[in-house]
């Protein structure tokens, strides 16, 4: 499985991503996305709290989103 890493800009902020050639999909860093969408200074903490909330609510989305 060949993957390539790159960084893109979104609203002048960096977003890390990985291209999976086999699946032909981009995977984006959830921490970078959370930081951009929430404008928080502690995106890892925000993501951790959100994961806990999703898990306690029984959300299946929690199982499908992982941190790169």
């Amino acid at each position: 499985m060949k993957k390539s890493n790159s960084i893109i800009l979104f609203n002048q902020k960096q977003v890390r991503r990985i291209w999976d050639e086999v699946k032909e999909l981009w995977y984006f860093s959830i921490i970078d996305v959370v930081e951009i969408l929430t404008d928080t200074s502690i995106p890892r903490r925000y993501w951790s709290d959100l994961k806990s909330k999703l898990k306690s609510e029984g959300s299946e989305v929690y199982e499908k989103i992982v941190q790169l």
Side-chain angles (χ1 to χ4, degrees):
M1 174 181 349
K2 186 173 181 189
K3 294 182 180 180
S4 60
N5 299 337
S6 69
I7 295 176
I8 59 169
L9 291 178
F10 182 83
N11 290 345
Q12 283 117 18
K13 294 188 179 181
Q14 291 185 350
V15 179
R16 293 167 289 170
R17 65 183 183 171
I18 296 175
W19 173 251
D20 185 328
E21 287 187 9
V22 174
K23 295 181 181 180
E24 296 184 343
L25 289 173
W26 281 109
Y27 292 91
F28 295 88
S29 165
I30 189 67
I31 300 299
D32 296 347
V33 172
V34 165
E35 181 178 10
I36 290 168
L37 294 178
T38 64
D39 203 28
T40 182
S41 61
I42 48 172
R44 287 187 190 279
R45 177 62 190 260
Y46 192 100
W47 173 239
S48 177
D49 292 347
L50 181 58
K51 279 193 313 184
S52 296
K53 182 177 180 184
L54 288 171
K55 189 175 183 179
S56 70
E57 292 176 351
S59 175
E60 292 180 20
V61 173
Y62 167 77
E63 300 298 327
K64 296 179 182 178
I65 301 176
V66 296
Q67 180 178 327
L68 290 180

